[in-house]
C-alpha cells in the first residue's frame, strides 16, 4: 500500500475545509440524496462524499458503507484529490498503490474505485464524491460526466451553506448596528436641541461667555454625531464595494496636518495637544482619502481617551519596502480584557471616552477594512494609565520612498 502524498497547497486546503464548518456535522438530506444519485448513475453499491482532513477522511454522506471516517493514510480519496479529473481504479488488486489496502483485503473487499475531486472556487480540492464496487469494472463516459457534475453540486452546496452563515452573521451585525446608532444618535441630538432651545428662548439673558460655553457644548454634542454619520457613510461604501482604491504618492506630513486641523476644535475642548512628528519630505504610496479617514478615526479615538493636558502624536518610520505610521497618545490606555475583544476583531466594540463620549466601534472596524485594502496591517499596543499606540504598516513600492 502506498499512502497518498500531501498536496503542495495542503495548509491552504485544510484552512478552506475548516472554513466551510462541515466536518463532524449531522447528516443532511441534500448530501444524502447526492450520494444516492451517484450510486444510481454509476450502478455502484457504495457511494460516499469524503472530505480529507489532516489525518483522516470523514464521510459527510454515505450509501452502502457503514463508516463515519477512516485513516487518511489508507484513503483512496487522498490520491483522488491530487487529480484534475475523475480518478478511476478499475481493479484495485492490480494497482500497486491499493492491492494490500485495508479496504481491499478487508471485509469490504473493494475492487473498483472512482472519485471526482470536490474543487472549490479557489482551486482547492476538499475531498471527493466517489463510488466503489466489490467487482472490477469500468465507467462509461456518461457516468464519468455525471460523477463530475455531482461533484460540482456538492461544492455548490458547501458554498451555499457558507454564504448562508455569512448572511446570518451580517443580519445579526446589522441589527446590532441599528440598535447602537439609534441609541448613540439620540443622546447628542437631545443635547443639541436642549442647548438650542436655551439660545432661542433667552438670548438676551445670556452673557457672551455663557453663549460661548453653550456653543462649545453644542459642538461637543454634534461632533461625535457627525463622526458617526460620516463613518457610516464610509463603511457602507466599503461594504458595498462602491469605494474605489486609488493609491498615489503624497506627503504624509501634509495629510496629518489636514487631519489635525479638522480635529483641532475637539482637541482644544479637551485640552489635548496634537503633534505632527512626520518629516516634511516623506512621501508615501497609499489612497490619500482612505488613509485620511483612518487617521481621523484613530486621532479621534486618541483624543477621546486622553485626559486634560494629554498629547496625541503621529510619526512615521519608512524603509524600502514599507512605511509604519504610529498614532500614539498618553491617554488612559486599554485594559487586557478590552484588548482581547479588540484583537479578536469583534465588530462594533466600543467604550465611552474620558468625558463620557460615546462610540459605536464602527470607526475601528472601518479602519481595519481600509488598511486591508492597502494589503497592510493595523496593530494595537497599550498600557493602562500610560497610553495607546496604533501602528499602521503599509507596503510600499520598492525603492520609491523619499
Amino acid at each position: 500500500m502506498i499512502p497518498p502524498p500531501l498536496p503542495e497547497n495542503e495548509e491552504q486546503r485544510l484552512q478552506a475545509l475548516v472554513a466551510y464548518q462541515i466536518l463532524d456535522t449531522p447528516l443532511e438530506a441534500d448530501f444524502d440524496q447526492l450520494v444516492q444519485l451517484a450510486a444510481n448513475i454509476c450502478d455502484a453499491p457504495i457511494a460516499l462524499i469524503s472530505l480529507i482532513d489532516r489525518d483522516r477522511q470523514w464521510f459527510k454522506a454515505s450509501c452502502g458503507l457503514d463508516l463515519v471516517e477512516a485513516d487518511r493514510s489508507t484513503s483512496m480519496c487522498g490520491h483522488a484529490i491530487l487529480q484534475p479529473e475523475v480518478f478511476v481504479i478499475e481493479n484495485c488488486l492490480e494497482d500497486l498503490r491499493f492491492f494490500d489496502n485495508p479496504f481491499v483485503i478487508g471485509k469490504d473487499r473493494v475492487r473498483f474505485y472512482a472519485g471526482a475531486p470536490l474543487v472549490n472556487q479557489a482551486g482547492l480540492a476538499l475531498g471527493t464524491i466517489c463510488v466503489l464496487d466489490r467487482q472490477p469494472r469500468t465507467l462509461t463516459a456518461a457516468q464519468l460526466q455525471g460523477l463530475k457534475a455531482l461533484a460540482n453540486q456538492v461544492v455548490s452546496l458547501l458554498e451555499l451553506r457558507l454564504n448562508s452563515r455569512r448572511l446570518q452573521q451580517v443580519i445579526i451585525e446589522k441589527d446590532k448596528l441599528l440598535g447602537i446608532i439609534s441609541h448613540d444618535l439620540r443622546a447628542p441630538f437631545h443635547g443639541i436641541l436642549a442647548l438650542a432651545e436655551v439660545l432661542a428662548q433667552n438670548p438676551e439673558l445670556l452673557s457672551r461667555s455663557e453663549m460661548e460655553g453653550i456653543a462649545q457644548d453644542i459642538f461637543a454634542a454634534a461632533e461625535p454625531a457627525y463622526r458617526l454619520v460620516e463613518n457610516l457613510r464610509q463603511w457602507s461604501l466599503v461594504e458595498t464595494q462602491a469605494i474605489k482604491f486609488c493609491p498615489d504618492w503624497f506627503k504624509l506630513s501634509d495629510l496629518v496636518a489636514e487631519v489635525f486641523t479638522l480635529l483641532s476644535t475637539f482637541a482644544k475642548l479637551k485640552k489635548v495637544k496634537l503633534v505632527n512628528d512626520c518629516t516634511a519630505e516623506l512621501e508615501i504610496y497609499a489612497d490619500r482619502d482612505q488613509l485620511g479617514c483612518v487617521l481621523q478615526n484613530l486621532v479621534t479615538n486618541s483624543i477621546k481617551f486622553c485626559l486634560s493636558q494629554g498629547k496625541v502624536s503621529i510619526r512615521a518610520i519608512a524603509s524600502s519596502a514599507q512605511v509604519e505610521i504610529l498614532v500614539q497618545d498618553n491617554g488612559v490606555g486599554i485594559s487586557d480584557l478590552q484588548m482581547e475583544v479588540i484583537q479578536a476583531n469583534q465588530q462594533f466594540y466600543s467604550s465611552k471616552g474620558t468625558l463620557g463620549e460615546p462610540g459605536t466601534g464602527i470607526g475601528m472596524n472601518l479602519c481595519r477594512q481600509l488598511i486591508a485594502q492597502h494589503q497592510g496591517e493595523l496593530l494595537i499596543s497599550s498600557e493602562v494609565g500610560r497610553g495607546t499606540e496604533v501602528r499602521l504598516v503599509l507596503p510600499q513600492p520598492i525603492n520609491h520612498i523619499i
Side-chain angles (χ1 to χ4, degrees), residues 188 191-200 203 206-224 265-266 268-269:
I192 292 169
L193 290 171
L195 292 166
E197 184 179 10
V198 172
L199 286 175
L206 299 173
S207 66
R208 180 178 178 84
S209 62
E210 287 174 325
M211 294 184 71
E212 288 177 350
I214 290 174
Q216 289 182 345
D217 290 341
I218 289 176
F219 176 85
E223 198 281 335
T265 303
F266 182 34
K268 287 176 182 176
L269 286 175

Side-chain angles (χ1 to χ4, degrees), residues 207-357:
S207 66
R208 180 178 178 84
S209 62
E210 287 174 325
M211 294 184 71
E212 288 177 350
I214 290 174
Q216 289 182 345
D217 290 341
I218 289 176
F219 176 85
E223 198 281 335
Y226 169 77
R227 183 62 49 203
L228 171 57
V229 172
E230 178 61 19
N231 278 338
L232 278 172
R233 186 184 72 84
Q234 291 280 348
W235 180 71
S236 67
L237 291 174
V238 172
E239 287 288 296
T240 58
Q241 299 182 340
I243 188 169
K244 293 183 178 180
F245 179 59
C246 301
D248 204 350
W249 292 98
F250 61 88
K251 290 188 176 181
L252 178 60
S253 180
D254 292 345
L255 178 61
V256 172
E258 291 176 18
V259 170
F260 282 174
T261 298
L262 287 171
L263 299 175
S264 59
T265 303
F266 182 34
K268 287 176 182 176
L269 286 175
K270 293 199 69 171
K271 298 180 180 179
V272 172
K273 184 179 181 181
L274 303 178
V275 180
N276 185 351
D277 280 334
C278 299
T279 59
E281 298 80 16
L282 177 62
E283 287 191 350
I284 68 169
Y285 188 75
D287 185 305
R288 198 178 195 280
D289 291 339
Q290 290 187 20
L291 184 58
C293 178
V294 171
L295 293 178
Q296 284 183 50
N297 274 286
L298 295 180
V299 174
T300 298
N301 262 358
S302 288
I303 297 172
K304 176 180 168 183
F305 293 105
C306 273
L307 299 169
S308 180
Q309 309 303 321
K311 174 184 173 182
V312 179
S313 66
I314 298 181
R315 64 188 180 92
I317 304 171
S319 69
S320 60
Q322 67 181 33
V323 62
E324 296 184 20
I325 303 172
L326 287 71
V327 181
Q328 300 167 313
D329 66 62
N330 59 354
V332 296
I334 303 171
S335 70
D336 291 342
L337 181 60
Q338 290 172 320
M339 185 64 76
E340 285 182 15
V341 177
I342 293 171
Q343 299 291 15
N345 201 20
Q346 295 187 13
Q347 290 190 338
F348 314 136
Y349 170 80
S350 185
S351 56
K352 294 186 180 296
T354 54
L355 294 181
E357 302 98 324

Side-chain angles (χ1 to χ4, degrees), residues 37-343:
L37 189 55
N40 293 342
I41 289 174
C42 298
D43 192 24
I46 302 170
L48 306 165
I49 292 176
S50 173
L51 299 170
I52 307 300
D53 201 359
R54 187 177 297 275
D55 298 310
R56 61 173 178 159
Q57 59 175 340
W58 179 80
F59 305 126
K60 174 60 184 173
S62 64
C63 169
L65 190 65
D66 189 21
L67 272 181
V68 175
E69 62 181 52
D71 195 282
R72 182 174 177 176
S73 64
T74 65
S75 169
M76 297 179 184
C77 297
H79 291 271
I81 63 171
L82 301 171
Q83 308 301 320
E85 298 293 334
V86 179
F87 180 60
V88 179
I89 307 297
E90 295 182 353
N91 188 345
C92 294
L93 289 175
E94 295 177 354
D95 194 301
L96 291 177
R97 293 167 294 185
F98 307 115
F99 75 95
D100 58 349
N101 186 287
F103 286 100
V104 175
I105 62 176
K107 63 181 180 64
D108 297 307
R109 296 180 56 82
V110 172
R111 295 293 181 267
F112 169 84
Y113 171 91
L118 306 176
V119 182
N120 70 2
Q121 296 175 350
L124 301 169
L126 310 171
T128 73
I129 182 168
C130 61
V131 292
L132 301 90
D133 204 333
R134 296 182 175 89
Q135 302 295 328
R137 53 174 298 188
T138 61
L139 291 183
T140 66
Q143 288 172 325
L144 291 171
Q145 190 62 37
L147 200 57
K148 287 176 63 177
L150 290 175
N152 292 335
Q153 290 302 308
V154 174
V155 173
S156 295
L157 272 178
L158 292 175
E159 293 290 346
L160 185 62
R161 293 174 84 262
L162 180 61
N163 290 334
S164 177
R165 286 197 305 275
R166 287 173 175 169
L167 180 59
Q168 290 173 2
Q169 186 60 36
V170 167
I171 292 172
I172 291 171
E173 293 294 347
K174 292 292 191 296
D175 289 344
K176 180 180 177 182
L177 178 59
L178 287 173
I180 293 171
I181 292 168
S182 63
H183 176 271
D184 286 354
L185 279 180
R186 188 183 299 116
F189 277 115
H190 277 319
I192 292 169
L193 290 171
L195 292 166
E197 184 179 10
V198 172
L199 286 175
Q201 291 182 353
N202 305 293
E204 70 282 353
L205 300 179
L206 299 173
S207 66
R208 180 178 178 84
S209 62
E210 287 174 325
M211 294 184 71
E212 288 177 350
I214 290 174
Q216 289 182 345
D217 290 341
I218 289 176
F219 176 85
E223 198 281 335
Y226 169 77
R227 183 62 49 203
L228 171 57
V229 172
E230 178 61 19
N231 278 338
L232 278 172
R233 186 184 72 84
Q234 291 280 348
W235 180 71
S236 67
L237 291 174
V238 172
E239 287 288 296
T240 58
Q241 299 182 340
I243 188 169
K244 293 183 178 180
F245 179 59
C246 301
D248 204 350
W249 292 98
F250 61 88
K251 290 188 176 181
L252 178 60
S253 180
D254 292 345
L255 178 61
V256 172
E258 291 176 18
V259 170
F260 282 174
T261 298
L262 287 171
L263 299 175
S264 59
T265 303
F266 182 34
K268 287 176 182 176
L269 286 175
K270 293 199 69 171
K271 298 180 180 179
V272 172
K273 184 179 181 181
L274 303 178
V275 180
N276 185 351
D277 280 334
C278 299
T279 59
E281 298 80 16
L282 177 62
E283 287 191 350
I284 68 169
Y285 188 75
D287 185 305
R288 198 178 195 280
D289 291 339
Q290 290 187 20
L291 184 58
C293 178
V294 171
L295 293 178
Q296 284 183 50
N297 274 286
L298 295 180
V299 174
T300 298
N301 262 358
S302 288
I303 297 172
K304 176 180 168 183
F305 293 105
C306 273
L307 299 169
S308 180
Q309 309 303 321
K311 174 184 173 182
V312 179
S313 66
I314 298 181
R315 64 188 180 92
I317 304 171
S319 69
S320 60
Q322 67 181 33
V323 62
E324 296 184 20
I325 303 172
L326 287 71
V327 181
Q328 300 167 313
D329 66 62
N330 59 354
V332 296
I334 303 171
S335 70
D336 291 342
L337 181 60
Q338 290 172 320
M339 185 64 76
E340 285 182 15
V341 177
I342 293 171
Q343 299 291 15

